[in-house]
Amino acid sequence: MAEDAPDEWQQDQRRTYTPADSEHELQYATYIHDSGDLRLRIAPASLDGDDTPGYTLQATTYPGLEFSESIRIRQVLTFDRCLSLAERFMDLFAAAYDGPGSLEEGLEYAFDRTKAAGAQNPPPGVGTEGIDDRRD
């Protein structure tokens, strides 16, 4: 995946591990935009407190700063599917991002085009009136 990521994105972390209470191997990956203002995380849904199986794709604006915000983009069953969604999100964000002033527009553009096909309503905690309402 790192070789397929757009030039503006770098793989930050990627791990495979087996939790102590399971026999199933899980994966975790993060990617960061070259601006440093946006990070994507692919992680087991259980890390976010969900009792459902699968993986969550999450975006965090201004990671590491006290005013950082995270939104859940999508939850799917397998790591590979989540990875392909992350790749799509990175491509879409790169197409709309034109510097720090366009972070929110790029995020909204990629989010809207990565959500589940046929989804009428945004996921819980995600508003429809702009990115400020899209907080977890």
Side-chain angles (χ1 to χ4, degrees):
M1 165 67 191
E3 304 85 35
D4 298 334
D7 292 338
E8 300 88 3
W9 290 88
Q10 303 300 318
Q11 184 172 319
D12 188 38
Q13 296 181 30
R14 184 155 182 180
R15 292 183 224 160
T16 301
Y17 64 97
T18 305
D21 60 348
S22 174
E23 296 177 12
H24 299 288
E25 193 172 80
L26 300 176
Q27 297 182 61
Y28 175 93
T30 58
Y31 296 86
I32 191 147
H33 189 263
D34 283 346
S35 68
D37 294 339
L38 187 63
R39 180 184 67 214
L40 287 181
R41 179 184 85 156
I42 302 167
S46 59
L47 290 182
D48 294 329
D50 290 339
D51 287 337
T52 58
Y55 288 85
T56 301
L57 177 60
Q58 179 179 341
T60 301
T61 58
Y62 310 109
L65 300 177
E66 72 179 57
F67 55 88
S68 70
E69 297 176 359
S70 294
I71 61 166
R72 180 185 296 178
I73 297 167
R74 190 134 169 222
Q75 186 171 333
V76 294
L77 191 56
T78 67
F79 181 83
D80 289 338
R81 177 67 177 131
C82 205
L83 197 57
S84 75
L85 288 169
E87 184 177 297
R88 176 175 165 80
F89 183 93
M90 286 187 264
D91 284 334
L92 290 165
F93 179 81
Y97 180 78
D98 192 28
S102 65
L103 178 73
E104 290 180 359
E105 291 86 6
L107 182 57
E108 189 166 356
Y109 178 81
F111 175 86
D112 287 342
R113 284 153 183 82
T114 309
K115 67 184 177 188
Q120 296 287 323
N121 298 317
V126 176
T128 58
E129 297 299 318
I131 207 64
D132 288 337
D133 297 329
R134 295 182 177 185
R135 299 180 194 148
D136 275 345

